Amino acid sequence: MLDILHQDDALLAVNKPAGLPVHRSKLIGPAEAFLVDLLREQVGGELFLAHRLDRATSGVLLVARSAAVAAALGEQFMGREVHKQYLAVVRGWPEPAEGAVDYPLPGSRENGPRREARTRYRRLATVEVPIPLGRYPRQRYALVLAEPETGRFRQIRKHMAHIHHPVIGDCQHGRSDHNRLYRQHFGCHRMLLHAWRLRLTHPVSGEPLALEAPLDPPYRALLARFGWPAAPV
C-alpha cells in the first residue's frame, strides 16, 4: 500500500518510495510496477500526474483527479509558485554552508538546449567517518536542504554534482566509489535524495496546502548512525 499524505476530491499526495518509477516511459524502461498503476488500484478512478520524480528519488508526489486540476497544478509549477524542499546526503562539506547553484541545464537529452536552472542549498549537518578511500583516510559527508527554484530534469542531482558534492547513491551523476562505500559499510542501497516538503495553493479551494513526506527507514537509520537530527529544520 502506498502512503497517502493527503486526499480529497481534487488531488492526492503520495509518499513515493525510492526505486519505484512513476509511470511508463522510454527513459525508464521495463519495471515490475509503476506508481500510477498501484495508486489506481488503491484509490480507484482517473488519475493525472501533476509533476514527476526520478525513479530513485523518494518523497512527495502530487496526483490530480482530473485533467483540469492537473493543468492548474502544472501552471503553479511552471509559474514557480510551488515551494519545494529536498533532503540530500552529499559527498564532502559544501562551502559556503549556504548558497545557490545557478547553472543552465539541458532537458532529458544531454545535447539539447540548456535552460536557466537555479537551486538554493543549506548545509544542515556534517560527519567525518574513519573509512579510507583513495588517498584520504577519512571521508566527509553532509546533509543538505535543497530548494530548486526551477524544475529541470534531474536538477538537484546535476547541480550538486556540478559543485563537486554529488548526491550519495546517484548512479548517473554521482561517485561510484562513495556509492559503493555506503552499500558496503552502511548497508545503504538507495539514492539519498528525498522530496521532503511541498507548499502550494490548492487549485480548487484556493487555500494554502503544506505537505511533508516522512523519510523511509533506511534514510532514517543513516541519519541516526551519523547523529544527525531525525527531523531537520
Side-chain angles (χ1 to χ4, degrees):
M1 294 283 285
L2 293 167
D3 178 16
I4 296 178
L5 305 170
H6 173 89
Q7 183 173 3
D8 60 38
D9 292 340
L11 59 86
L12 301 99
V14 180
N15 189 359
K16 176 191 151 332
L20 177 66
V22 174
H23 64 114
R24 288 173 174 79
S25 163
K26 291 181 180 179
L27 290 172
I28 293 169
E32 293 183 2
F34 298 88
L35 183 140
V36 289
D37 296 335
L38 296 176
L39 187 60
R40 193 173 290 114
E41 291 176 8
Q42 188 170 331
V43 302
E46 285 193 295
L47 299 175
F48 301 82
L49 288 171
H51 65 127
R52 307 287 191 273
L53 287 178
D54 295 340
R55 179 177 188 160
T57 304
S58 58
V60 182
L61 182 77
L62 288 176
V63 182
R65 282 292 200 175
S66 70
V69 169
L73 290 170
E75 288 180 5
Q76 286 193 51
F77 279 100
M78 291 293 290
R80 303 182 188 177
E81 299 166 13
V82 179
H83 183 223
K84 298 168 282 186
Q85 291 186 319
Y86 288 70
L87 292 174
V89 178
V90 303
R91 185 194 70 83
W93 297 355
E95 292 287 354
E98 187 169 351
V101 184
D102 199 336
Y103 180 70
L105 294 173
S108 57
R109 295 183 178 181
E110 284 298 318
N111 59 353
R114 290 179 174 266
R115 301 169 65 190
E116 174 197 9
R118 180 178 169 85
T119 305
R120 288 184 291 121
Y121 73 85
R122 177 160 52 95
R123 205 175 69 200
L124 300 177
T126 60
V127 71
E128 191 172 61
V129 296
I131 301 174
L133 184 64
R135 55 184 179 155
Y136 298 106
R138 303 174 69 86
Q139 310 306 315
R140 290 182 168 186
Y141 301 103
L143 178 65
V144 168
L145 178 72
E147 298 175 299
E149 295 181 0
T150 50
R152 307 302 177 215
F153 181 68
R154 295 180 181 169
Q155 177 172 315
I156 295 173
R157 297 165 62 180
K158 291 180 177 181
H159 272 174
M160 296 313 295
H162 177 68
I163 61 171
H164 309 294
H165 295 289
V167 176
I168 298 299
D170 187 342
C171 296
Q172 281 79 33
H173 311 285
R175 288 274 302 267
S176 59
D177 51 353
H178 287 271
N179 296 346
R180 189 163 52 249
L181 182 151
Y182 269 66
R183 291 194 299 270
Q184 294 175 350
H185 292 270
F186 304 134
C188 184
H189 297 268
R190 59 155 296 176
M191 183 173 72
L192 294 170
L193 180 62
H194 179 72
W196 184 35
R197 289 173 171 168
L198 208 62
R199 292 204 311 268
L200 65 150
T201 301
H202 193 286
V204 175
S205 70
E207 295 294 318
L209 182 60
L211 303 163
E212 181 175 320
L215 294 166
D216 63 19
Y219 210 133
R220 289 201 310 269
L222 193 74
L223 296 189
R225 181 163 187 162
F226 290 165
W228 289 346
V233 293

